Every structure is written in C-alpha cells, then in structure tokens.
Amino acid sequence: MAKFTDIDNLEINHSNPNTTKDLQRENLGGISLTAPGKYRVIRRNGRLTEFEISKVETAMTKAFLAEEGGMAASSERIHELVAQLSLQVTNNLFKRLPDGGTFHIEDIQDQVELALMRQGEHKVARRYVLYREDRSKLRKSSVDNQTKPVINVTLSDGHTVALPTELLLAMIKNAANNLDDVDTGMLYSETVKNLYDLVPELDVIKSAIMSAKSLIEKEPNYSYVASRLLLKLCKIEAYKTLSMPVPASIFEPMQNSYQGYFEKYIAYAISKDLLSHELAEYDCATLAKVLIEQNDSKFSYLSLQTLYDRYFIHHGTNRIELPQAFFMRVAMGLALYEKKSEREQYAILFYKTLSSFRFMSSTPTLFNSGTLRPQLSSCYLTTVPDDLSGIYEAIKENALLSKYAGGLGNDWTSVRSMGSHIKGTNGNSQGVVPFLKVANDTAIAVNQGGKRKGAVCAYLETWHLDIEDFLELRKNTGDDRRRTHDMNTANWIPDLFMKRVHEKGEWTLFSPHETPDLHDIYGKDFEKRYMQYEQMVERGEILLYKKLPALTLWRKMLTMLYETGHPWITFKDPCNIRSPQRHVGVVHSSNLCTEITLNTNKEEIAVCNLGSINLKEHMTPEGLDEVALKETVSIAVRMLDNVIEYNYYSVEKAKFSNLKHRPIGLGLMGFTDLLYHLRVPYDSDKAIEISDQSMETISYFAIEASMSLAKERGPYQTYQGSLWSKGILPIDSLRLLDKERDGFLKVNYNSTKDWDTLRKNVTQYGVRNSNIMAIAPTATIANICGVSASIEPTYQNLYVKSNLSGEFTLINPYLVTDLKKHNIWDDVMINDLKYYDGSLQKIDRIPNEIKKLYKTAFEIDQRWLIECASRRQKWIDQAQSLNLYYADTDAKTLDLMYQLAWIRGLKTTYYLRTIGATHIEKTTLDSSRKNTLNRVTSADKITEFENKTSCAFGAGANDQECEVCQ
C-alpha cells in the first residue's frame, strides 16, 4: 500500500461530473464553497488563508490512495465518495458559522476524520489519523515551527494591541466561576489556537464561546461557560447601542448595571416605536431595582442563544434587550390589565415567576408582550365554510393570524368533495385538496416577520369522500399540485370508525354537502345519523359515496403516518363529549400541535393562550413541592387570563370568541427531569403514578385558581349551562365518555384531592375560563428553561440538535453525574455514546440500573407513554401533545399502539417519530422482547396493562420541534 509521503506530489483530478460544483447548490443552498472572504482558515503559524473545498478533497483523496493504492486515483466510486464527504465536511463547518468566520486547520481535519468514520471507511480514517500524527511529530522536531505565532488584536477604533493574555485568561476563569469540572487552562488554549494576527477584539470572545461549545460533550457545565461569555457580548452590544459606557478593554469584567441600563432601554425602545408607549407609565426605576442579575447564570448556551436570535428586542441588527429586561418587559405587558395602582406589584410578581423559570409563557407572548402589536395568543382554530368567498376569507384570516406568530388549526370537513355538484355553475367540485394547496402556500408566504415559518394544520373527518386524497397530501410522489409539503394534516376520527375497525366492518364515505349534520354531531347521535345515511345509500337516495372496509382505510392511515409523518391521529368524540363547552358548540378540530380542543363555527375563531409550569423548579427530595406549585399555578392562571384582555386581535372573530369564552391552556414541562430526580424510569408503574398525581395536583390548583379569579372578576360569559356549572369537572366528564363508548374505554378513576369541596366552590362562584388546561410541546420554552420538553422522554442522551439558531450539542447532565459517581465518565464513554446514538444499552460497563433509568424514547415500550398520557388526560379539560416513537417495521404493532391510545381515552396524538432502518439495530431492544402487546379482542374484554416489564416494542424519533405553540 502507498503512504502519504509517496503520493504527496500526485496530481489529483477532480473533473468527475458528480463532484463538488454540481452538488454545491443542492447541498448548501447555493453558497459558494470557495466563499472568498467569507470563510477563512487559520494555519498553525497564525496566518489566514481562504477556505477551499478542493484542499479538503485533496487530503481525503490522498487518504484513499494511501490505503487502496494508485488505482484509487481513477476510481469513479472514490471520486464520487470524496465529493460527497467533502460536501458533508463543508456543510458541517459552515453551519457553525452561517454568517462567515474562521476555522482552525485542525478543526477541518477533525471533520474529515469524522466524515470518514461515519461513512464506515475506518481503514482510510486510520491512515488519515496516522498521517496527522506523523506531521505533528515532524512539526515538534522543527525549530522554526516552535516559534509561536504573533497575535495582535484589532480594537473597535482600528488600533491594534498585543493579545492581552492575562485579561483573556481572567475572563475565561470568571465565566467558569462556581462551575465544577471546567478546565479553564484547556479552554484558554483552545481559544488562542483559533485566533490569528489582527483578529477583531469581539472575535476573541466569540472564539472562547465556540471553544467552550465544542467541549460541552465532555462536560455539560461548558454550556454555562459559553452562555456567560455570550452574555458579555450581549451586554456590549446593548450598551453601545444605548450609548452606555463599556470597559476600555472588552476583556475586563462588565459592571452590574441592570439598574442604570433598564430605564435607558425602556425609554430608547419606546422612542423607536419598538415598545408600547403604555410602558412609560410604569415606575421603571422601581422595577429596575428588583431585576435579579444572578438569574442570568441559569441560562445554558442553547437557551441564551435562542433568546438572542429570536426573542430579544432589537433596533436594526442590534439587540438592545438583556435577559432580565426581557422577562420584565414581558411581565409589564401582562400586568397592563391590572389596576393602575397595582401594576408595578403584579409586574414584579410576574417577572419573578418568569425569571426563576417556575413558569414560562408561550413563544408568541414572549415575542410580543409590551410591543405595539401584542399578539400573545398561541393557537387559532377555524372552520372553513363550503362556499368560495368563505374559503378565501378563511385563507385570508390564516394569513393575518399567522403574521403575528399564531399557529393555525383549520377544520376543512364542511367543504364538499370532488365530483359533487355546484349549483351556481352547474359544474362539479374539485374537492378540498386544491384549496389545501393554497392554504399551504399561504403559510409559507406569511412567515411571521422572518422570525419563524408560518404553520398550519388541516383537519378532515374520516367519513369525508376526499379522505383518501387527504391522506396522501404529504407524499413526495404523485401530482405536486395535489401535495402540501409544508402543511401539517390530521385525521379527525369519530368513535364509530374505530368501532368498525375493531369489528372489521364496512365504512362509507360521503360528501358533506349531502350529509352536513355529521359535521356538528358526535357520540351516539353521530352513530344514529351516520347509519341513517348508510340506509339512504342502500335505498339509492344518496348517489355520491364510496364503501370500503374500515380496516383497509385504517391501514392506509397508519401507512401514510409511518411513511410521511401525517396525517396525525386525533379523536373527535372524546374531544366533544368531555368538552366543558358542549352546550354552546362543537369542537371540529384541534390546533397545530393537537392539544387545544375548542369550539369553532362561522362566527367564531377559537383562540387559546398557553404557558407551562416547570416541574423541575418545584422538586423536593420526595417529589413536588405542592405549596410552591400552588403559588406558581395561581400566578400563571392570572397571567394567562390577562393575555385575553391585553391581546392584539388581527381578526374580529377571534376577539369575539376569546372575550366570550376566555379559554387558557396551562401545561407542564420537565416531566422527565422529575423522573430522573426521583430515580424513576419512564417505563415503570411508579412513573404512571407520578404522571397521575402531578397532573391531578396541577389540575386541582388550576381550577381553584380560575375559580378564585371568577370571584374577583366574574365568570366567563357562557359559564351557565357548561359542565363546570353542573359540577362536572374533567375527572367527572370521563364517565360521560364511558357511557357513550359501550365498553370501548378502560381508564383509571383514582384520585387523591378533595374534589367534592372544589366542585361546590366551582358551582357557587364559577370559573373565569371556559377551558383551563392543555399540555403543549414546549420545545422552545423548554430550551430556554434548560429542561426536558413537555411530557417527552429523553430523545437521546447525547446528540446534536438543529434549529433556527444553529447546531447545539445536548448531553444528559443527570446521566453524566451518575457516570461520574461510578468513575466511568471519560473519552471512551463519550465515543461509545456517539457510536450508539446516545443509547446506553450496549455499553457493557454501565450498570443495569443506570441503563434502565436513562432509556431513550426509542427504547421505551410506547404503552408506558400511552398509560402515562391516559392518567394525565383524565384531569385535563383539553388535550395534550403526545408524540409516539416507533423504530419497528411491524404494522401490527403500530395498529395496536393507536388502538390502545383510543381505548385509554386519549383525545389526540401528535407526531409519530420514526428513524431510518439503518439505525434500528442500534436503538431497539432485543427481538425476544418485542411485540408482546396483546391484541384487543373484545370491547368488554380489553387486555389490561399487565406484565408491564415484559413488553418492549421499539420506538423512534426525529428531532423536530413545534415552536409555534411554545
């Protein structure tokens, strides 16, 4: 075999048509891979050169030649592979610095090595590693290369000074203060390694941030180091924009000057029309005194970078908002509904609740509170009528609502099917699909001011004649004019369909213009009317219909769900039968993230206002601190109720509905943090009990808080006649569903709180809000708070998360702590976690109890997730965003999973997370423990959740997040 030294002078031909130039636009969105002046490389002598992908290709080709000999130079396979891997290397580097920057030569070489390993070219990678080691030894033996490069720093005024090494080291040590296991010397060395002569002074701090970020996989506390360094940049940017003094050297400590800064920030933002002039009515000097600077240390790098990129108020390209000012600005907006004499008092109370991470408002509230257009609500639900003007009015409403960060759920069931007669033109309808295409494109066009993509979910009932076309909307094949690649879709399934599936019965599809009342009825009323329409078909009174086995349609639903991720599975009847507002309307759909279940009609667009309790901030050694939880819930319900009055409504129908019914959606996050804290595996009876008791506690306090608000402010307008007014609380409405299901419901009714007293108080005083609880995904606000999202199990114990703010290494800090206690946290363990995609199950030296506790979402039998969700659902008046994880290929398992969700009384499910077949071997459990879920064989003989520890059908996920709801 050849050596690198034998081939250094070989001419490498990169003229293969499948190489870089032909692939760059497809892979990198048209970014020039040479990118002159934008991306540069720091050589080991400190000099800068332009980044060139051809040099990456050359190095990689030499590695192949060294391993496979000279014949590799003419191999088409090698040329194609080198081009592909070089693009991967370039893409990974560019994603770190999307706006341009510098890479050290060793960082590029690390990426080359990693790309070869990931491709399975282990021998070639070994050659490359050995070559790097030989070159390193050669450099060490060279006298010339022992001279350290001179590094001067370019100041903001253009002057240059020698790199202030002592100040730089002191800055790094200050950022690492009180953080264990952070090697400041190594971090300093990594920072200096990535510097070059005449580097701008701000880039020195950025280098320190990037160096700390690269070490997070070794020690989670480096995330807090990176955050503190980033905060320093935030302060410099804000202070300079507000003409406030900064230290002579940016490496010197910043003064604690929130008090001096806050008043200037509010005044400046108001003067630039960035904030509402109403905020000037506050005593900002008083508010500034209560800002808690120490709370800045609670941010991880991901959380602060997310706030900086998307949440902080900015003027032009300059951010002028700092973290504690951000929380106070949000609090001030939410307190505007309070009496003027009490505004400061409530603003302080709301601020402390937010800045402590005990409760976090949803993303639209954080975006817009205190601004000129305070659109604070998360979700809007609409019903699209069956006429052309109504359809386009609904699409216009989508655009207006989406403009200010609202997520949309559209009910399309009323729109007549393809082939149905149109009286006005004496023609035939093209059905619902062409209009869905328009709605899809509208969501993309109105991208919420560039902050994030517009987002909408279309719902269709399972009896609609266009349902089969609807199922295929997200396919990548077929007529693209009948595809909606950017819009979410969901099945709105009546119980009768699930019964027909169970019984292997026949199902009939109708056009809604011939069966319009099916849209507005549910339960036994639906069953009776539906069967009457089937009889009309038999008599020849309805001509536009289709019959097919219910099981055939169900299998197609699951097939499309598995292949495309859509449409989601949601259940019409439990959403309506258990709705507190069934006396004034019908729930026709859920929302973008399937947790909201509110009435809609042609006069009303339903609105929901969301926020989540952070369980991690309410933990004691024994469980939850109920005293603290009660206080937080009470404050949170008040904040959410204030949103309704203060909110900016871009559509009058939404304002009318929200003020009339006043729904809110209080949820939770950090459930998995609570389990880790209590040392309880997700797949255990104890986890089910914790799920039950934690949600019961939140439910009790939330209903109590809304009742207390009703005593103070009065109940909502349509309270009389609601389930609340009849003393029927969520736990009681579960029995209403049981009566309608005829045995197709098996749930737990246990409770621990004094519900009788609360029922009496609710019937006496009412509640302030028609709906009170809903568990949203919380993807982004959980990032802000540094906790596990919503009710989710751990995705992976070590992985790279991609979102609009870039790529972030996430590692399970609880796991790291445990492995340190066992003295097995080292580089080998890190590499093992990478190799096994964050799974512990095949790493022999990890104790079994740790493997059990830290199973990933892929490895937990999904029945445990469904059982936990069922226990929560009995306490919730709306629904919950429940992701299910699936890495199996057995359709029977998928079938049983969703039938179990229905049997256990769930109202909705969310994404079916799947992984590629190439990863299944790494992430699933032993085949001997798969597929032990017994089939439901009878409505009155449903298999109970027995022998729980023996079942383990696998699950899978992809790292997507819903940022609209939360």
Side-chain angles (χ1 to χ4, degrees):
M1 295 291 181
K3 296 181 180 179
F4 271 92
T5 52
D6 300 330
I7 60 175
D8 278 346
N9 296 320
L10 281 179
E11 182 178 345
I12 309 299
N13 179 12
H14 294 298
S15 61
N16 187 286
N18 291 321
T19 55
T20 303
K21 291 184 179 179
D22 287 343
L23 293 173
Q24 67 183 35
R25 287 190 178 88
E26 178 182 350
N27 288 272
L28 294 173
I31 296 175
S32 172
L33 295 177
T34 53
K38 187 173 184 181
Y39 293 100
R40 295 185 292 177
V41 179
I42 306 172
R43 315 301 296 187
R44 291 181 180 85
N45 61 6
R47 293 178 56 198
L48 285 180
T49 59
E50 286 190 6
F51 176 84
E52 296 180 49
I53 192 174
S54 61
K55 293 183 178 180
V56 176
E57 292 175 319
T58 298
M60 203 174 292
T61 303
K62 287 180 178 180
F64 276 99
L65 289 169
E67 178 59 31
E68 300 187 12
M71 294 296 293
S74 59
S75 169
E76 184 176 343
R77 182 189 73 86
I78 298 299
H79 278 297
E80 291 180 355
L81 185 57
V82 165
Q84 173 191 338
L85 296 180
S86 298
L87 282 167
Q88 290 179 12
V89 168
T90 305
N91 202 12
N92 289 337
L93 291 167
F94 284 12
K95 281 195 290 187
R96 293 183 186 178
L97 299 169
D99 298 323
T102 58
F103 313 109
H104 195 275
I105 184 66
E106 290 189 3
D107 291 334
I108 300 175
Q109 292 178 339
D110 288 344
Q111 285 295 323
V112 171
E113 182 181 325
L114 183 60
L116 290 168
M117 292 293 291
R118 285 174 172 167
Q119 186 63 28
E121 298 287 349
H122 301 293
K123 292 183 180 180
V124 179
R126 182 175 180 274
R127 286 276 182 177
Y128 189 74
V129 171
L130 292 174
Y131 170 72
R132 291 182 66 184
E133 290 178 353
D134 289 343
R135 299 295 296 177
S136 177
K137 292 176 183 177
L138 184 62
R139 284 191 297 272
K140 289 179 181 178
S141 65
S142 170
V143 175
D144 293 339
N145 282 316
Q146 289 178 4
T147 304
K148 294 183 179 180
V150 175
I151 299 177
N152 293 295
V153 177
T154 303
L155 305 179
S156 58
D157 61 4
H159 289 83
T160 61
V161 298
L163 177 69
T165 55
E166 292 185 3
L167 285 176
L168 175 59
L169 181 59
M171 180 185 74
I172 290 173
K173 288 182 176 180
N174 184 61
N177 189 38
N178 296 322
L179 294 174
D180 296 332
D181 300 322
V182 171
D183 187 336
T184 55
M186 179 174 64
L187 182 53
Y188 171 81
S189 298
E190 287 295 310
T191 300
V192 173
K193 184 187 79 172
N194 290 298
L195 301 179
Y196 53 91
D197 193 28
L198 303 180
V199 60
E201 58 180 346
L202 289 178
D203 284 2
V204 178
I205 302 179
K206 292 177 182 178
S207 176
I209 292 171
M210 296 304 294
S211 298
K213 179 182 175 182
S214 70
L215 295 169
I216 292 172
E217 66 180 31
K218 297 179 179 294
E219 168 53 54
N221 277 338
Y222 281 105
S223 178
Y224 295 96
V225 176
S227 174
R228 294 172 184 181
L229 292 169
L230 176 59
L231 180 62
K232 187 181 186 73
L233 287 181
C234 293
K235 287 185 175 181
I236 292 171
E237 183 176 336
Y239 287 4
K240 285 185 175 181
T241 305
L242 298 177
S243 301
M244 293 178 61
V246 297
S249 170
I250 66 170
F251 307 110
E252 295 177 1
M254 301 287 291
Q255 298 299 315
N256 294 338
S257 54
Y258 258 118
Q259 291 187 34
Y261 150 83
F262 183 71
E263 291 182 79
K264 290 187 177 181
Y265 152 66
I266 294 292
Y268 182 89
I270 291 174
S271 71
K272 300 298 182 182
D273 287 333
L274 300 172
L275 294 181
S276 169
H277 290 245
E278 289 183 279
L279 299 193
E281 299 174 7
Y282 282 94
D283 182 350
C284 290
T286 298
L287 298 182
K289 292 177 182 178
V290 303
L291 298 180
I292 306 170
E293 184 125 13
Q294 297 91 322
N295 282 351
D296 284 346
S297 65
K298 296 171 71 71
F299 293 106
S300 67
Y301 175 65
L302 169 59
S303 60
L304 187 57
Q305 186 69 60
T306 300
L307 289 177
Y308 177 86
D309 286 341
R310 283 176 278 166
Y311 290 79
F312 288 168
I313 297 294
H314 56 88
H315 184 229
T317 59
N318 295 325
R319 272 63 174 178
I320 59 174
E321 194 166 60
L322 296 176
Q324 301 311 308
F326 160 71
F327 286 129
M328 182 57 85
R329 182 259 298 171
V330 175
M332 292 164 72
L334 294 176
L336 284 174
Y337 180 54
E338 304 291 345
K339 298 175 182 176
K340 282 194 174 184
S341 61
E342 298 178 344
R343 281 183 178 176
E344 278 82 15
Q345 169 192 335
Y346 278 106
I348 293 169
L349 182 64
F350 296 164
Y351 159 76
K352 290 181 176 179
T353 304
L354 292 169
S355 69
S356 64
F357 295 168
R358 297 199 309 271
F359 166 80
M360 193 57 59
S361 298
S362 64
T363 284
T365 304
L366 300 179
F367 274 169
N368 298 323
S369 183
T371 67
L372 298 182
R373 292 289 184 273
Q375 196 298 104
L376 312 184
S377 296
S378 301
C379 306
Y380 296 87
L381 286 67
T382 71
T383 286
V384 182
D386 183 35
D387 63 84
L388 198 60
S389 61
I391 290 171
Y392 279 95
E393 179 68 19
I395 291 172
K396 174 187 174 183
E397 290 166 348
N398 275 3
L400 292 171
L401 294 168
S402 180
K403 180 179 179 180
Y404 296 102
L408 308 170
N410 295 155
D411 156 38
W412 288 88
T413 300
S414 293
V415 178
R416 67 188 60 202
S417 67
M418 178 184 287
S420 56
H421 183 254
I422 303 174
K423 185 177 180 180
T425 62
N426 197 30
N428 292 330
S429 171
Q430 292 299 304
V432 70
V433 171
F435 298 115
L436 292 172
K437 178 70 171 174
V438 177
N440 175 88
D441 295 344
T442 300
I444 298 305
V446 185
N447 68 349
Q448 303 182 3
K451 292 183 178 180
R452 58 188 182 181
K453 296 178 181 178
V456 61
C457 182
Y459 285 78
L460 201 70
E461 289 199 42
T462 313
W463 53 264
H464 196 290
L465 195 55
D466 287 347
I467 189 66
E468 291 178 286
D469 288 335
F470 183 78
L471 297 180
E472 297 184 345
L473 284 172
R474 292 296 294 260
K475 287 180 68 174
N476 290 323
T477 58
D479 185 352
D480 204 57
R481 291 169 297 182
R482 300 184 67 81
R483 298 289 179 263
T484 57
H485 300 297
D486 308 289
M487 183 171 69
N488 300 306
T489 58
N491 290 295
W492 194 239
I493 304 172
D495 281 352
L496 180 61
F497 175 76
M498 296 304 296
K499 293 176 183 178
R500 294 276 180 93
V501 169
H502 173 76
E503 296 162 353
K504 297 183 175 60
E506 196 170 50
W507 188 248
T508 309
L509 305 179
F510 299 103
S511 177
H513 81 289
E514 294 186 311
T515 59
D517 51 343
L518 291 182
H519 185 233
D520 291 320
I521 52 178
Y522 50 86
K524 290 183 178 178
D525 290 340
F526 177 91
E527 293 187 17
K528 180 179 178 181
R529 186 59 172 150
Y530 182 86
M531 287 187 282
Q532 288 175 352
Y533 281 126
E534 288 186 312
Q535 291 167 5
M536 291 172 67
V537 167
E538 296 300 323
R539 296 194 300 266
E541 298 172 14
I542 293 179
L543 299 179
L544 192 61
Y545 68 92
K546 180 178 179 179
K547 286 182 175 290
L548 72 167
L551 192 56
T552 298
L553 184 57
W554 174 245
R555 286 171 176 167
K556 185 170 184 178
M557 287 179 180
L558 297 181
T559 299
M560 288 298 100
L561 185 63
Y562 178 78
E563 291 181 359
T564 71
H566 293 86
W568 302 325
I569 303 296
T570 61
F571 303 112
K572 173 183 180 178
D573 285 6
C575 292
N576 278 283
I577 293 166
R578 297 190 62 198
S579 170
Q581 291 295 95
R582 49 191 280 184
H583 66 303
V584 290
V586 177
V587 182
H588 291 118
S589 73
S590 187
N591 67 317
L592 178 67
C593 302
T594 76
E595 80 276 19
I596 302 305
T597 55
L598 300 175
N599 300 345
T600 57
N601 54 56
K602 61 183 180 181
E603 286 86 24
E604 295 186 20
I605 292 176
V607 185
C608 203
N609 319 288
L610 302 179
S612 296
I613 300 294
N614 181 0
L615 296 181
K616 183 180 178 182
E617 296 296 329
H618 297 84
M619 297 190 304
T620 69
E622 294 76 30
L624 290 174
D625 183 342
E626 292 198 6
V627 174
L629 190 59
K630 180 177 181 178
E631 178 185 21
T632 301
V633 169
S634 178
I635 297 169
V637 169
R638 190 179 193 95
M639 292 168 72
L640 291 173
D641 187 64
N642 284 3
V643 165
I644 297 167
E645 295 291 338
Y646 173 50
N647 196 50
Y648 168 76
Y649 298 94
S650 56
V651 176
E652 191 62 29
K653 293 178 188 177
K655 181 177 183 179
F656 173 74
S657 174
N658 214 24
L659 293 174
K660 184 177 180 181
H661 307 298
R662 310 190 68 85
I664 60 174
L666 181 67
L668 62 88
M669 56 186 168
F671 178 70
T672 300
D673 292 78
L674 178 60
L675 295 183
Y676 288 152
H677 174 73
L678 297 174
R679 313 294 296 175
V680 175
Y682 209 122
D683 52 349
S684 67
D685 289 321
K686 186 63 176 176
I688 294 174
E689 293 174 10
I690 293 170
S691 178
D692 195 337
Q693 293 168 7
S694 60
M695 194 65 239
E696 179 183 12
T697 302
I698 292 173
S699 178
Y700 189 94
F701 292 150
I703 296 170
E704 186 178 54
S706 188
M707 180 270 298
S708 296
L709 271 183
K711 291 170 66 176
E712 176 186 343
R713 297 174 172 176
Y716 67 96
Q717 292 179 30
T718 54
Y719 166 75
Q720 290 300 329
S722 68
L723 295 188
W724 303 112
S725 70
K726 299 174 182 178
I728 300 175
L729 305 186
I731 183 63
D732 308 310
S733 69
L734 194 59
R735 298 191 183 278
L736 299 179
L737 179 62
D738 196 8
K739 291 179 182 179
E740 295 276 351
R741 280 280 181 92
D742 295 327
F744 280 93
L745 182 70
K746 292 294 180 180
V747 293
N748 177 285
Y749 290 96
N750 293 345
S751 63
T752 61
K753 300 294 182 188
D754 180 11
W755 290 98
D756 287 338
T757 299
L758 186 56
R759 284 187 190 93
K760 293 176 182 177
N761 289 334
V762 166
T763 54
Q764 181 177 357
Y765 301 109
V767 287
R768 179 66 172 167
N769 313 99
S770 65
N771 298 77
I772 302 171
M773 289 157 288
I775 298 180
T778 78
T780 309
I781 63 170
N783 288 343
I784 293 172
C785 295
V787 299
S788 57
S790 188
I791 51 179
E792 292 288 286
T794 294
Y795 168 65
Q796 289 177 352
N797 288 300
L798 173 61
Y799 70 107
V800 176
K801 179 186 185 72
S802 297
N803 64 19
L804 295 178
S805 293
E807 290 193 339
F808 301 87
T809 298
L810 296 184
I811 189 165
N812 188 335
Y814 301 94
L815 170 64
V816 174
T817 298
D818 275 353
L819 295 181
K820 284 179 179 178
K821 289 178 181 177
H822 286 77
N823 200 31
I824 53 176
W825 181 246
D826 49 33
D827 288 341
V828 175
M829 182 62 72
I830 294 170
N831 289 330
D832 284 346
L833 284 173
K834 289 179 181 178
Y835 181 78
Y836 290 114
D837 297 325
S839 169
L840 312 183
Q841 305 311 310
K842 293 185 179 180
I843 304 177
D844 293 337
R845 59 185 178 138
I846 295 180
N848 287 332
E849 65 270 16
I850 293 181
K851 290 182 179 181
K852 174 75 172 173
L853 180 61
Y854 295 108
K855 282 184 181 179
T856 67
F858 309 118
E859 298 158 343
I860 298 172
D861 175 352
Q862 296 305 282
R863 295 196 305 170
W864 296 102
L865 272 67
I866 293 169
E867 287 295 329
C868 285
S870 177
R871 294 295 186 95
R872 289 186 212 99
Q873 189 63 75
K874 69 182 184 181
W875 304 113
I876 303 172
D877 57 295
Q878 295 198 71
Q880 50 193 316
S881 295
L882 175 67
N883 290 316
L884 294 175
Y885 298 82
Y886 186 70
D888 210 327
T889 56
D890 180 14
K892 177 182 176 181
T893 300
L894 194 62
D895 170 26
L896 296 174
M897 193 161 75
Y898 280 97
Q899 287 206 49
L900 181 65
W902 177 64
I903 290 293
R904 290 295 190 253
L906 298 189
K907 294 181 178 180
T908 62
T909 62
Y910 195 26
Y911 280 101
L912 174 67
R913 306 291 195 182
T914 59
I915 56 175
T918 55
H919 295 286
I920 291 176
E921 182 181 349
K922 293 182 180 180
T923 56
T924 56
L925 300 176
D926 295 338
S927 59
S928 60
R929 299 185 64 213
K930 288 185 183 179
N931 303 330
T932 58
L933 178 62
N934 294 323
R935 176 175 288 279
V936 177
T937 57
S938 172
D940 56 356
K941 293 184 179 180
I942 297 170
T943 303
E944 290 295 345
F945 196 57
E946 298 169 349
N947 195 21
K948 300 179 182 68
T949 57
S950 68
C951 27
F953 61 77
N958 50 42
D959 184 31
Q960 301 178 25
E961 60 179 53
C962 170
E963 298 181 331
V964 177
C965 282
Q966 297 274 32

